[in-house]
Amino acid sequence: MAAASQQGALVLEGLSKRYGTFTALEPTSLTIEDGEFLTLLGPSGSGKTTLLQMISGLTDPSEGRLIFNGEDWTHRPVNARGMGLVFQHYALFPHMTVAENVAFPLEMRKLPSAEMKTRVEETLRKVQLDQFAHRFPKELSGGQQQRVALARCLVFRPKVILMDEPLGALDKALREHMQLEIRRLHKEYGTTIIYVTHDQEEALVMSDRICVMNHARVEQIGAPSQIYGNPETLFAATFIGHSNVLSGEKVSSDGDVATIRTPFGTFSGKHTARDRSATDVSLIIRPEQMRLGSAPGDAFDGVTGRLTDLIYVGAETRLLLTLGSDTSLTLRHDPSAGDLPSIGDEVAVHWPKTAARIVT
Ligand SMILES: Nc1ncnc2c1ncn2[C@@H]1O[C@H](COP(=O)(O)OP(=O)(O)OP(=O)(O)O)[C@@H](O)[C@H]1O
Ligand SMILES: [Mg+2]
């Protein structure tokens, strides 16, 4: 009998993958809860597909175990796992109509034909393709084809769906639309979804939790707001959202607060670093936390830099500042702060100490 907290949970215990002497994934341990939407986010080559393929059973792990619902699934064959798989180029059968493509997994499972018909119709309605049931894949747009792939996976009601960059081939508008569709379907079906992307915005929009990966290992795992608000490493801070980074040496720490000496001054911030003993650290300040003007009191820190560029991006204007020779800062222009300075001006900026983070 599975422990209550593991009902329907997928537990990875030190799962790793090596190819000869090359490590594609360092030993990784994490628990994916029943019904969770977990995104594996990281740059190319960080081990996302490797991790997903080991969960699917398409790749054998070098070490470690995979437990599903309390049972050891490490060496269970792909077909016996019954997981839904959606990949970027998971080709539809070209000689079958949309409805036949979607019915295929049910045929394999030998469902009675009346029930099969009902389920296919219902699933096509869910992905808003009921009008297209009799078309062939080549008569559909890329987004419509991807919705067929999604329907073909949802139709057999898998407990777990694995998606590897399923929207990678679509244009931005369609990708954003499909992100919301998948989110809606996830809520409706309550399926566990493990989703791979290297697009941080996509990860923020869709996930319950994000697993940030880099160099074959997990950097940080947490809710989007937790990773954005309390990054533990410089990589997590710069990969998710924009960060202003001032690097230096940790000179003191007291509980959750630490002080860092940089070439531009000594500053304090919340100590969120995973490695508390490290002395080479970075101060992270998100652009929306920085304001023009000198620090208005003890609760703030600030620096002075030269304005090098103003970038108009529709909803806001971004200010680019340089400090010294190789440090740059970005902030958003707050119209209530008055007129924009001019390029070349020396400008002071400040931020609340409570908004700064100290990471390794
Ligand atoms: N069969 C294999 N043999 C040798 N090395 C492999 C094999 N499969 C993957 N790798 C290597 O393992 C590393 C991780 O690959 P993986 O496909 O997991 O990356 P990824 O994070 O999915 O990247 P991308 O975003 O480019 O898809 C890469 O350096 C890759 O070259
Ligand atoms: Mg990949």
Side-chain angles (χ1 to χ4, degrees):
M1 189 56 203
S5 68
Q6 299 199 339
Q7 279 285 330
L10 261 170
V11 182
L12 280 56
E13 292 179 353
L15 219 56
S16 73
K17 185 67 190 177
R18 282 186 310 272
Y19 293 103
T21 56
F22 178 80
T23 302
L25 188 73
E26 299 278 0
T28 298
S29 298
L30 62 101
T31 297
I32 302 144
E33 300 295 342
D34 186 20
E36 183 172 16
F37 196 121
L38 180 82
T39 297
L40 309 180
L41 173 71
S44 185
S46 55
K48 307 180 296 293
T49 296
T50 303
L51 180 51
L52 199 77
Q53 299 277 14
M54 287 196 288
I55 297 172
S56 73
L58 289 166
T59 299
D60 259 342
S62 303
E63 293 164 315
R65 296 201 309 161
L66 176 74
I67 314 287
F68 180 66
N69 208 15
E71 280 178 49
D72 191 331
W73 274 29
T74 317
H75 300 291
R76 199 180 172 97
V78 183
N79 295 338
R81 298 186 190 207
M83 294 179 176
L85 309 175
V86 185
F87 302 139
Q88 185 175 333
H89 299 292
Y90 202 66
L92 301 172
F93 302 116
H95 57 285
M96 290 186 191
T97 64
V98 166
E100 286 163 355
N101 263 282
V102 174
F104 185 76
L106 303 181
E107 304 234 4
M108 298 301 288
R109 287 168 176 77
K110 303 201 167 30
L111 244 72
S113 61
E115 192 185 341
M116 190 143 66
K117 189 165 173 290
T118 318
R119 275 231 225 158
V120 169
E121 283 170 5
E122 179 196 295
T123 312
L124 285 176
R125 263 199 309 278
K126 287 265 192 282
V127 299
Q128 293 158 13
L129 281 178
D130 35 334
Q131 307 298 317
F132 298 88
H134 301 295
R135 291 221 193 152
F136 287 92
K138 67 172 193 302
E139 299 166 336
L140 300 176
S141 75
Q144 289 162 344
Q145 289 183 31
Q146 206 51 345
R147 294 218 299 269
V148 179
L150 198 59
R152 194 170 59 176
C153 166
L154 291 170
V155 76
F156 68 94
R157 298 178 190 158
K159 284 249 157 270
V160 179
I161 297 180
L162 309 178
M163 300 193 185
D164 196 344
E165 310 244 9
L167 310 181
L170 309 181
D171 69 42
K172 187 167 156 60
L174 192 52
R175 210 162 60 222
E176 285 174 359
H177 173 73
M178 286 298 292
Q179 287 167 6
L180 300 179
E181 289 284 289
I182 293 174
R183 229 177 87 110
R184 180 178 64 82
L185 290 165
H186 170 250
K187 289 212 168 75
E188 210 168 306
Y189 281 79
T191 315
T192 304
I193 297 186
I194 309 175
Y195 190 96
V196 167
T197 183
H198 54 247
D199 179 340
Q200 50 115 359
E201 235 174 87
E202 187 160 293
L204 288 170
V205 167
M206 302 185 76
S207 325
D208 293 322
R209 283 193 304 164
I210 299 174
C211 176
V212 182
M213 301 186 61
N214 191 27
H215 294 314
R217 57 196 286 272
V218 174
E219 285 268 332
Q220 186 172 357
I221 180 162
S225 59
Q226 190 186 343
I227 295 184
Y228 186 82
N230 292 307
E232 293 173 356
T233 65
L234 184 58
F235 179 82
T238 50
F239 202 73
I240 299 199
H242 190 88
S243 285
N244 291 307
V245 181
L246 297 175
S247 296
E249 184 194 0
K250 189 170 73 192
V251 286
S252 70
S253 66
D254 180 11
D256 273 348
V257 177
T259 307
I260 171 176
R261 184 163 50 223
T262 78
F264 313 104
T266 299
F267 309 113
S268 65
K270 187 172 165 191
H271 198 194
T272 52
R274 182 171 54 200
D275 178 2
R276 290 294 183 110
S277 62
T279 52
D280 284 346
V281 292
S282 298
L283 186 79
I284 301 294
I285 309 127
R286 298 291 187 183
E288 65 273 20
Q289 302 286 355
M290 280 197 169
R291 295 277 181 277
L292 286 173
S294 32
D298 286 350
F300 298 86
D301 276 326
V303 291
T304 302
R306 185 173 298 280
L307 185 68
T308 49
D309 210 354
L310 292 168
I311 303 166
Y312 176 72
V313 282
E316 62 185 40
T317 300
R318 284 183 201 149
L319 283 72
L320 256 59
L321 261 67
T322 44
L323 309 180
S325 56
D326 62 352
T327 302
S328 60
L329 300 180
T330 304
L331 61 155
R332 296 180 181 163
H333 178 58
D334 173 6
S336 68
D339 291 340
L340 281 168
S342 307
I343 291 176
D345 285 357
E346 280 290 321
V347 290
V349 297
H350 66 273
W351 59 88
K353 289 177 178 174
T354 51
R357 301 288 177 263
I358 291 178
V359 304
T360 41

